[in-house]
Amino acid sequence: MNFIAENLDIAMFLVLAAALLRGYPVTFTLAGVATIFAGLGAILGAFDTALLGALSQRLFGIMTNQVLIAIPLFVFMGIVLERSRLAEELLEEMGRLFGTRRGGLAVSVVVVGTLLAASTGIVGATVITMALIALPAMLRNGYSKRLAAGTVCTAGTLGQIIPPSTLLIILSEVMSSAYQQAQFEQGKFTVETISVGQTFAAALLPGLVLVALYIVYILALAWIRPERAPAMPRDAAEPVSTRQLLRVLLPPVFLIVAVLGSIVGGVATPTEAASVGAVGALLLATYRRDEGARGASLLAIAALAGIVVLASSTSIRLQRSDADLGVWIVAALGACLVAVVAWGIWRAIRHAAREGYLGVINTRTMSVSSMIFGTIIGASVFSLVFRGLGGDKRIEHLVEAMPGGATGALVFVMVLIFLLGFILDFVEISVILLPIVVPALIVMGHDPIWLAVLIAINLQTSFLTPPFGFSLFYLRGAAPPEITTGDIYRGVIPFIALQAVGVSLIWVLPGIATWLPAVMFGR
């Protein structure tokens, strides 16, 4: 019995893996397995049930976490932009711009994936949209099935590494908690934290490095094997209008500057910036879909931009005793801008309700957000019981015992994350594994910001690794019949290798991840 009691943590992890492989719902599996093993541990004297008293505080902390509250708003923003046909128009214009060059259509898919990543961040919507529009065009122009499928799959996953993204928000919270825990273990009680802005800033350049690697690979392949990525005939490509190109480029750029700029620049918290993004996306969707009210939508969008500029450049405090006429004028201007935006929001909601897509947006936002928060809550229950059974100490000792010291431990963890990506998604890995292994890595001397970026790219790979890579599923459901599952799997292999190259570059040149946070946040 002592042997069983001492190894309940191992059995708990194995039972969880077996249940997930059987296809049981993740949230209920995490909480159910934790409950069963808490009971077994209590019976065998290996678990103190008093630890469960902390469960309510944990759950309340998750639901009121100011960083995690931004997730539903970013999900809402992405789904609204999906409904506004932003991706379709971007793909059409970029295809005309680059299509007459070898590999140009594939490059246009990567560029559009980058823009959508920085404005929507919804992987499923991006992959499906590009599969329905870009993939048939690439096949018609003689592209290799594998290259076409791999490019669409990979470009769609950029929304997980290029900020703002749900992965980076969750990872920021997990890394910040792990960093604080590591400092407590080192005897530091005046602890530092990691903000979402720092994580976003750290991931920006590495994300663009990945984009550059993809484009270089596509152009090199098109040069070496032109039959795999031929250019479109010039007479088949319509001329690109500068006005039309700006019309489709400016909306995502506006959102990127408003949302990402305000977070990284320290003007707004992630939740505040996500609110601006959600409102901006709703106004842009109305501008796209309601041709009769484009002037009103543009006015509201301009007012929203004015509020962002005003908030970043001045602070209005009417209760101050030294508030002069200038302060009151600025306050009146701000009130007018807020009124215009409120009027625009009311018109946008009324239009969305009249057209029948408001309910779809709300339902999808609720379902995606519930899935994410349900998994986080289930993982919190699992983590509490796992720690109570001594599992965290066992894994910390295993990491510390890896040959090669700190480098060997990091290699072990990165390989483990990569292998788990074949069967688990990024949320499960982030909230189950990382809180256990990351504190030990930080204690061993690894920079938490640099570590977060390495892990983020590794987690992004889980969308591409068979058999359970979500991007593969999305593409399989939307791809033409001539694209087989084998084509998709073989098509993503070079891009997985490129992501490994990206991780290696950031490992060898850590400044790619740490330079921008150091410049902007002094870290």
Side-chain angles (χ1 to χ4, degrees):
M1 296 297 287
N2 286 337
F3 176 80
I4 295 174
E6 290 172 358
N7 293 282
L8 275 178
D9 54 336
I10 298 176
M12 182 180 180
F13 197 84
L14 293 176
V15 169
L16 174 68
L20 291 177
L21 287 173
R22 291 279 296 175
Y24 291 108
V26 175
T27 301
F28 302 114
T29 300
L30 286 167
V33 169
T35 302
I36 292 170
F37 276 85
L40 286 175
I43 293 171
L44 297 174
F47 181 76
D48 184 1
T49 55
L51 285 174
L52 296 177
L55 192 57
S56 59
Q57 295 177 345
R58 277 189 166 215
L59 301 187
F60 182 76
I62 291 170
M63 300 310 295
T64 58
N65 187 296
Q66 289 298 313
V67 173
L68 297 180
I69 288 174
I71 290 176
L73 294 168
F74 279 125
V75 172
F76 178 87
M77 182 179 77
I79 293 172
V80 169
L81 288 176
E82 175 199 348
R83 303 289 299 187
S84 69
R85 294 193 70 251
L86 176 70
E88 290 93 327
E89 293 188 1
L90 274 172
L91 277 169
E92 291 169 3
E93 295 304 316
M94 290 300 167
R96 293 176 188 147
L97 185 63
F98 296 112
T100 54
R101 297 165 178 81
R102 286 182 187 175
L105 283 176
V107 170
S108 70
V109 169
V110 174
V111 172
V112 170
T114 305
L115 290 171
L116 293 178
S119 53
T120 66
I122 305 297
V123 169
T126 304
V127 172
I128 290 171
T129 300
M130 291 196 290
L132 293 174
I133 298 173
L135 197 52
M138 295 169 79
L139 296 177
R140 280 196 307 271
N141 285 277
Y143 269 68
S144 158
K145 294 178 183 178
R146 296 180 189 178
L147 176 61
T151 303
V152 168
C153 252
T154 307
T157 64
L158 286 170
Q160 294 304 313
I161 185 61
I162 294 180
S165 81
T166 324
L167 184 154
L168 292 177
I169 293 173
I170 296 173
L171 189 60
S172 171
E173 182 64 22
V174 170
M175 294 298 294
S176 183
S177 299
Y179 186 32
Q180 293 177 60
Q181 182 182 334
Q183 290 174 92
F184 284 133
E185 291 180 10
Q186 292 172 323
K188 300 177 183 177
F189 297 101
T190 304
V191 296
E192 300 178 17
T193 59
I194 299 172
S195 68
V196 175
Q198 287 175 300
T199 308
F200 281 5
L204 188 57
L205 289 181
L208 296 178
V209 167
L210 280 182
V211 172
L213 287 173
Y214 298 156
I215 292 176
V216 168
Y217 165 73
I218 291 168
L219 294 177
L221 182 64
W223 182 65
I224 297 170
R225 303 290 297 272
E227 72 279 3
R228 293 192 180 184
M232 291 174 60
R234 290 193 177 274
D235 54 357
E238 298 179 17
V240 180
S241 164
T242 304
R243 180 179 178 183
Q244 177 66 10
L245 188 62
L246 290 176
R247 192 177 75 84
V248 298
L249 276 178
L250 288 180
V253 170
F254 163 76
L255 273 183
I256 293 168
V257 172
V259 176
L260 185 56
S262 58
I263 295 176
V264 174
V267 175
T269 66
T271 307
E272 292 167 347
S275 303
V276 172
V279 170
L282 194 59
L283 295 175
L284 285 174
T286 308
Y287 172 79
R288 296 273 186 185
R289 298 177 67 103
D290 189 1
E291 294 185 2
R294 285 190 167 176
S297 299
L298 279 176
L299 181 62
I301 291 169
L304 182 63
I307 291 174
V308 173
V309 172
L310 203 62
S312 63
S313 59
T314 186
S315 176
I316 303 172
R317 299 260 194 271
L318 294 180
Q319 68 271 29
R320 294 187 315 184
S321 59
D322 60 341
D324 55 14
L325 180 61
V327 173
W328 282 93
I329 292 174
V330 172
L333 175 61
C336 291
L337 292 174
V338 169
V340 172
V341 172
W343 169 71
I345 294 172
W346 175 75
R347 287 180 60 92
I349 292 174
R350 188 179 64 173
H351 177 268
R354 186 171 64 248
E355 294 294 320
Y357 63 89
L358 182 61
V360 176
I361 291 170
N362 290 336
T363 302
R364 288 190 58 193
T365 301
M366 184 181 298
S367 62
V368 173
S369 302
S370 299
M371 180 274 293
I372 293 173
F373 276 91
T375 303
I376 293 173
I377 289 172
S380 182
V381 179
F382 182 90
S383 175
L384 182 65
V385 176
F386 189 72
R387 288 177 182 275
L389 293 173
D392 57 333
K393 296 299 181 184
R394 186 190 297 270
I395 291 182
E396 285 179 12
H397 292 156
L398 177 64
V399 170
E400 292 169 356
M402 282 293 112
T407 302
L410 182 54
V411 170
F412 169 75
V413 170
M414 293 294 286
V415 171
L416 180 61
I417 291 172
F418 177 77
L419 295 176
L420 287 176
F422 283 82
I423 57 174
L424 300 177
D425 71 20
F426 75 92
V427 178
E428 296 155 17
I429 298 173
S430 297
V431 297
I432 297 173
L433 177 67
L434 296 187
I436 299 171
V437 299
V438 169
L441 293 176
I442 296 175
V443 169
M444 296 174 81
H446 293 298
D447 181 270
I449 296 288
W450 174 74
L451 191 59
V453 175
L454 290 180
I455 292 172
I457 298 176
N458 203 343
L459 289 174
Q460 182 201 2
T461 310
S462 68
F463 279 83
L464 299 174
T465 47
F468 298 126
F470 282 109
S471 288
L472 308 178
F473 288 151
Y474 295 138
L475 184 59
R476 177 64 276 169
E482 59 266 30
I483 297 287
T484 66
T485 302
D487 291 329
I488 296 173
Y489 284 3
R490 286 189 288 270
V492 298
I493 290 174
F495 292 96
I496 293 174
L498 288 173
Q499 289 186 308
V501 172
V503 169
S504 302
L505 282 174
I506 294 162
W507 194 310
V508 175
L509 303 171
I512 297 174
T514 58
W515 174 77
L516 190 56
V519 169
M520 303 194 71
F521 298 94
R523 174 182 171 74

